[in-house]
Amino acid sequence: MSKKHGPSIKNSDQYEALLDKGMSKEKAARISNDPNSGKKGGKAKDYEERTKKELYQKAKEVGIPNRSKMSKAELIKALRNN
C-alpha cells in the first residue's frame, strides 16, 4: 500500500520499495522520479568510459557538492556513493 507523498514523487510504489531497502529519501526520490527508472535494457556507459565533462554534468544533476574541484576518479567515486 502506497503512502501519499505529494506531487514531487512520481512513482510512489517504487519510492516506498527503495526506502524499504534502506535508501535515503533523496536518492529514492531521484530514482523514482526518473522517467526511465524501472525500464529494462538500459545501455548507459560505465563511468570509466565517460568523459570528465559528462561525469561533471551527471554530478550536477544529482547535486554533488564541490564537484568543480574533483578529478575524474573523484567524480566517479562521488557518483557511485551518492
Side-chain angles (χ1 to χ4, degrees), residues 5-46:
H5 300 289
S8 64
I9 303 297
K10 305 299 182 211
N11 187 336
S12 188
D13 291 334
Q14 185 179 34
Y15 177 78
E16 288 295 323
L18 294 171
L19 288 178
D20 290 343
K21 290 181 179 181
M23 234 174 243
S24 70
K25 289 181 180 182
E26 293 82 12
K27 189 169 185 176
R30 189 172 54 252
I31 292 170
S32 63
N33 287 340
D34 183 346
N36 295 319
S37 180
K39 294 181 181 178
K40 293 187 177 188
K43 295 183 171 115
K45 294 190 286 186
D46 289 334

Side-chain angles (χ1 to χ4, degrees), residues 61-72:
E61 290 172 21
V62 174
I64 294 174
N66 302 316
R67 61 190 170 268
S68 63
K69 298 177 182 177
M70 293 183 180
S71 67
K72 182 176 178 177

